[in-house]
Amino acid sequence: MESLLSSSSLVSAAGGFGWRKQNLKLQSLSEIRVLRSDSCKVIAKPKFRNNLVRLDGKESSSLWLLYPKRKSRFRVNATASQPEAFEPNSKPKSFRDSLDAFYRFSRPHTVIGTVLSILSVSFLAVEKVSDISPLLFTGILEAVVAALMMNIYIVGLNQLSDVEIDKVNKPYLPLASGEYSVTTGIAIVASFSIMSFWLGWIVGSWPLFWALSVSFILGTAYSINLPLLRWKRFALVAAMCILAVRAIIVQIAFYLHIQTHVFGRPILFTRPLIFATAFMSFFSVVIALFKDIPDIEGDKIFGIRSFSVTLGQEKVFWTCVSLLQMAYAAAILVGATSPFIWSKVISVVGHVILASTLWTRAKSVDLSSKTEITSCYMFIWKLFYAEYLLLPFFEVTL
C-alpha cells in the first residue's frame, strides 16, 4: 500500500484546490486516515492535526484524493470510530463485522429516538397505576418493533438513493464504503418494510397501521428519485416530511394505539399530548435543519438545495439554537403552571439544565470544522432523547 501512495498525484477534494505533479511520500500508513477507496483512488486525511503536510507553502488538513501509480483493487472498511481501518480485497469476515455494518446502516441515533418517543407518548395514555400492566408493555412492544422495522426501511432507502452523495458526506456508511452492494441494500429495505406492515396488520391496531403507512409514504417520497418525488431536494418540503413523522405521527398515532387499541378507551387528546406535539414540532424542525449543516459539501455537488446550502451554515446553525431555546423557554413557562409540585420541579429544572447545556455547547462549536458540527448534531439528538424522558412528567393546566 505504501508503494501505491508514494509518487502520487494529489488533489484536495474538500477545498477545491489542486496540486498536480506533487510527490507525496508516506513513510507509513499511520500518517493518514483512509476514509474510502476504490480501484483507482483513495480518499484520506491527516491522522493528527499537528502532523500536517505542506503543499505550496500552505498547511492542509482537508480531505485528500490520492491516485496510485498502479491500479489495484482494494476497499476500506471505514467506521466512525475507526475510519482508518483498511483491508485489501476484504469482505466482512465475521458475524461481528456484519453486525457492525448493519448497525451503521440502521442509523442508530434514529433507532434510539424512535424507541424513546414511543415509550414516552405511550405513558402519556396512562391514567392510573393499574394501567401499568403486561397489557401495556405488550402494546408498547408491538408498536416499537413495527416502528423500528419501518425506520430501517426509511433510513435504508435514503442511503440507497444517496450512495454517491454519501461517498462525500458519510463515507463510513455500508453502501457508500462498498461493504453492502445495492442489491443487499434493496433486500434489506424491502424485507423490513414488508415485515413492518405484516406486524402492523396482524396486531389489528388501526392507529399503528396508519402510522406505518404514512411514514412509508413520506419516507419514500422524501428519498426516492422519481418524477415529482425526492422531496429532500426542496428544503421546506423536506423539513415538513420530518416534522410530520417525528412530531405528529409519533405523538398522536402511537398515543392513540395505546389509548384505543390497548386500553379500549375513546379518542381523547389530553393537554400533555397537545403540548408534547407542539414542543416536538419545534425539535423536529431543528433536526431537519441541523442534519444538513455537516452535509453541505455533498449537497452542493449533487444539487440538494438545503437551507444550509442556500442560507449558509452559520445562519442555519444559530437559527436551530434559537428555535430550541424558544421551545425550552415555553416548556419552562408551561411547566411552572402545573398544579403538581413534582411536575413543576422536574419540568422547570430539567429544561433549565437542557437550555443552559445547549447554549454552552453551541458557543464552543467551530463552524469551520465538519467534525465539530457533526458532533453537535449528535448532541442535538441527545437533547431529543432527554426531552422524551421529561415529557411523561408533564401535567399542565392551560
Side-chain angles (χ1 to χ4, degrees):
M1 180 67 185
E2 290 180 16
S3 63
L4 290 176
L5 294 181
S6 61
S7 300
S8 304
S9 169
L10 175 62
V11 176
S12 172
F17 301 102
W19 293 270
R20 297 293 182 180
K21 300 179 181 178
Q22 293 291 331
N23 185 44
L24 176 66
K25 182 66 176 178
L26 298 177
Q27 300 301 323
S28 169
L29 285 178
S30 63
E31 295 181 22
I32 64 168
R33 292 180 185 270
V34 177
L35 302 181
R36 186 177 75 255
S37 66
D38 58 26
S39 60
C40 61
K41 61 183 179 294
V42 179
I43 293 184
K45 67 186 297 185
K47 191 170 183 180
F48 306 106
R49 289 191 177 187
N50 60 354
N51 186 26
L52 304 180
V53 172
R54 304 230 18 129
L55 297 169
D56 290 356
K58 298 181 180 179
E59 290 184 342
S60 173
S61 60
S62 59
L63 297 181
W64 299 335
L65 196 56
L66 308 176
Y67 294 93
K69 291 178 68 177
R70 300 185 302 275
K71 290 187 178 181
S72 176
R73 188 67 184 171
F74 50 86
R75 181 178 71 78
V76 173
N77 179 21
T79 68
S81 60
Q82 189 74 15
E84 66 271 27
F86 173 82
E87 298 180 31
N89 294 311
S90 62
K91 293 182 180 179
K93 296 178 180 178
S94 67
F95 175 75
R96 182 176 180 179
D97 293 330
S98 300
L99 191 62
D100 175 67
F102 182 76
Y103 174 81
R104 284 176 280 122
F105 182 79
S106 68
R107 309 296 281 146
H109 61 282
T110 66
V111 169
I112 296 170
T114 298
V115 172
L116 287 179
S117 60
I118 293 174
L119 285 171
S120 180
V121 299
S122 295
F123 277 95
L124 290 180
V126 172
E127 296 178 356
K128 49 187 183 293
V129 175
S130 60
D131 286 342
I132 303 176
S133 64
L135 182 65
L136 170 64
F137 291 107
T138 299
I140 292 175
L141 183 62
E142 292 167 344
V144 167
V145 173
L148 285 183
M149 289 190 290
M150 185 56 66
N151 189 91
I152 291 172
Y153 163 78
I154 292 172
V155 298
L157 180 65
N158 187 57
Q159 291 172 66
L160 282 168
S161 303
D162 286 357
V163 173
E164 295 304 317
I165 299 177
D166 287 340
K167 287 178 180 179
V168 177
N169 290 337
K170 303 180 182 74
Y172 53 85
L173 294 178
L175 283 166
S177 69
E179 291 168 90
Y180 280 178
S181 66
V182 172
T183 302
T184 300
I186 292 173
I188 292 173
V189 299
S191 300
F192 275 88
S193 63
I194 292 170
M195 289 190 294
S196 179
F197 279 121
W198 173 78
L199 180 58
W201 181 262
I202 65 171
V203 165
S205 169
W206 283 109
L208 175 59
F209 191 81
W210 281 110
L212 299 175
S213 300
V214 176
S215 298
F216 176 87
I217 293 170
L218 292 179
T220 302
Y222 177 87
S223 295
I224 199 165
N225 195 9
L226 291 175
L228 303 180
L229 299 180
R230 196 160 173 76
W231 292 350
K232 68 179 297 177
R233 293 176 297 168
F234 313 106
L236 184 60
V237 179
M240 291 302 101
C241 285
I242 295 174
L243 183 150
V245 173
R246 286 286 171 190
I248 299 175
I249 293 174
V250 167
Q251 316 306 316
I252 296 177
F254 289 108
Y255 169 85
L256 291 178
H257 165 68
I258 301 298
Q259 177 76 1
T260 63
H261 175 74
V262 175
F263 292 148
R265 296 168 182 159
I267 295 175
L268 177 65
F269 295 102
T270 63
R271 288 167 177 166
L273 175 66
I274 294 170
F275 174 78
T277 303
F279 186 95
M280 298 315 295
S281 294
F282 270 86
F283 230 120
S284 298
V285 169
V286 168
I287 287 176
L289 296 176
F290 209 110
K291 74 177 187 64
D292 294 325
I293 299 177
D295 293 344
I296 190 170
E297 181 186 346
D299 289 349
K300 283 181 178 179
I301 294 172
F302 292 94
I304 304 297
R305 302 292 295 170
S306 66
F307 282 113
S308 295
V309 171
T310 56
L311 301 178
Q313 289 176 300
E314 185 172 0
K315 281 187 178 180
V316 175
F317 178 86
W318 287 110
T319 296
C320 289
V321 173
S322 299
L323 286 173
L324 277 187
Q325 295 291 16
M326 290 168 56
Y328 285 140
I332 291 169
L333 292 175
V334 172
T337 68
S338 174
F340 306 103
I341 186 65
W342 57 269
S343 175
K344 184 178 298 186
V345 170
I346 292 174
S347 58
V348 171
V349 174
H351 286 100
V352 167
I353 293 172
L354 293 180
S356 302
T357 304
L358 170 63
W359 184 250
T360 302
R361 180 62 182 272
K363 290 193 298 182
S364 69
V365 174
D366 177 7
L367 293 177
S368 65
S369 169
K370 181 176 179 177
T371 300
E372 290 196 24
I373 296 174
T374 302
S375 176
C376 190
Y377 172 60
M378 299 312 299
F379 176 74
I380 296 294
W381 273 95
K382 291 175 183 177
L383 295 178
F384 184 77
Y385 306 153
E387 191 58 40
Y388 273 116
L389 296 177
L390 288 175
L391 283 178
F393 295 99
F394 259 91
E395 290 291 341
V396 298
T397 55
L398 299 176

